[in-house]
Amino acid sequence: MIKIQPHIIQEGSVQFQLGELTGNKISYNFPKILIYLEAKGKLLFGKNFKIYSEDEAILYKLCIYFIRDFETCKKLEIDPNKGILLSGPVGCGKTSLMKLLPHIVPHQIKHIVIPARNITFNFNKSGFKIIEDYGNSGFYCFDDLGVETTGRHFGKDCNVMGEILLSRHDLFLKRKLRTHATTNLNAQELENRYGNRVRSRMRQLFNLIAFDRECIDKRK
């Protein structure tokens, strides 16, 4: 019988041990997780990827959430049953982190990261079926929420992502299926974009984890 060890991850010839397994419980080590994240980030995004020390507080919250450390989540007022809304300025690394972090928990189902603008483009071609496709099933992280254009199909305008978020809220209530998202917008801008009704449901859907608005643009 093969012993499952999700806390030990093999990348090529290098083995990363992210914690200790006692019985069926893993005690994760945050500094070791950071070492792995930087190594995996370089594999996924190129040799210039790095973990910045100023981002470690944000990363700690995200890691606690992804490893399902319910006790620490409670202390940090993070609801592990909700999704993550990761907000921050352009270039702070939101998308990279939401693609990277699931790799620390290879035994869990991974979300699919998809740009919100792509969903709107698909709506323009295929219509309301797209809202059903993304609103009624699946485990998604909607990337760059709020910067997509208004959808238009056969002359009818539609706030596509707003409608999808309403459907995802129903899905959350019925099946506890989580939704993640990244955004450059603040709470007021999101409300202006999607309306009070959607913004209210977003509070129930998401834990808000936010980069500092003065965070550097790591793409430069």
Side-chain angles (χ1 to χ4, degrees):
M1 183 177 177
I2 298 172
K3 188 177 180 183
I4 297 173
Q5 296 183 304
H7 65 301
I8 298 176
I9 301 174
Q10 192 81 25
E11 295 289 350
S13 60
V14 183
Q15 190 177 82
F16 296 87
Q17 183 167 335
L18 307 188
E20 300 292 335
L21 181 64
T22 307
N24 63 352
K25 183 180 179 182
I26 301 170
S27 298
Y28 283 93
N29 180 300
F30 182 57
K32 289 182 178 179
I33 290 177
L34 292 182
I35 290 169
Y36 171 68
L37 287 174
E38 180 154 301
K40 185 65 174 178
K42 289 181 187 300
L43 291 174
L44 291 175
F45 311 119
K47 60 182 175 58
N48 292 327
F49 179 87
K50 66 175 288 188
I51 297 293
Y52 291 80
S53 58
E54 59 265 33
D55 294 341
E56 286 185 12
I58 290 274
L59 273 164
Y60 183 70
K61 290 181 180 179
L62 290 168
C63 287
I64 288 303
Y65 174 87
F66 276 95
I67 66 174
R68 317 303 283 157
D69 182 340
F70 298 115
E71 188 177 327
T72 309
C73 277
K74 187 174 182 182
K75 289 177 184 175
L76 296 177
E77 299 183 333
I78 296 170
D79 185 342
N81 296 313
K82 293 182 180 182
I84 294 291
L85 176 61
L86 187 58
S87 76
V90 171
C92 67
K94 302 181 296 297
T95 304
S96 297
L97 290 182
M98 291 307 285
K99 289 180 177 178
L100 180 59
L101 279 157
H103 290 280
I104 67 175
V105 281
H107 54 300
Q108 293 182 18
I109 297 171
K110 288 181 172 57
H111 57 258
I112 298 168
V113 178
I114 181 164
R117 66 181 182 278
N118 288 12
I119 296 175
T120 301
F121 292 153
N122 288 337
F123 172 87
N124 295 343
K125 291 188 292 184
S126 304
F128 288 88
K129 175 183 178 295
I130 297 301
I131 293 174
E132 292 179 18
D133 289 347
Y134 291 101
N136 295 341
S137 62
F139 188 16
Y140 297 107
C141 174
F142 299 126
D143 192 33
D144 270 345
L145 190 66
V147 300
E148 74 281 355
T149 58
T150 299
R152 189 172 180 83
H153 183 69
F154 281 110
K156 290 186 177 180
D157 286 349
C158 179
N159 190 329
V160 177
M161 291 309 304
E163 292 298 326
I164 288 173
L165 289 171
L166 291 174
S167 296
R168 298 295 301 186
H169 179 261
D170 290 340
L171 195 61
F172 173 67
L173 295 180
K174 290 173 185 173
R175 292 171 46 195
K176 301 301 177 189
L177 195 58
R178 288 173 289 148
T179 304
H180 302 314
T182 71
T183 186
N184 302 332
L185 307 185
N186 61 34
Q188 188 57 55
E189 289 168 332
L190 285 168
E191 186 167 321
N192 293 342
R193 180 72 179 82
Y194 296 115
N196 180 260
R197 182 169 170 239
V198 173
R199 176 65 186 133
S200 173
R201 282 156 178 78
M202 288 177 73
R203 293 187 187 98
Q204 292 179 282
L205 268 177
F206 298 120
N207 295 284
L208 175 61
I209 296 181
F211 281 89
D212 190 291
R213 301 309 295 181
E214 303 304 314
C215 181
I216 64 167
D217 186 342
K218 299 176 179 72
R219 296 171 186 166
K220 292 181 179 178

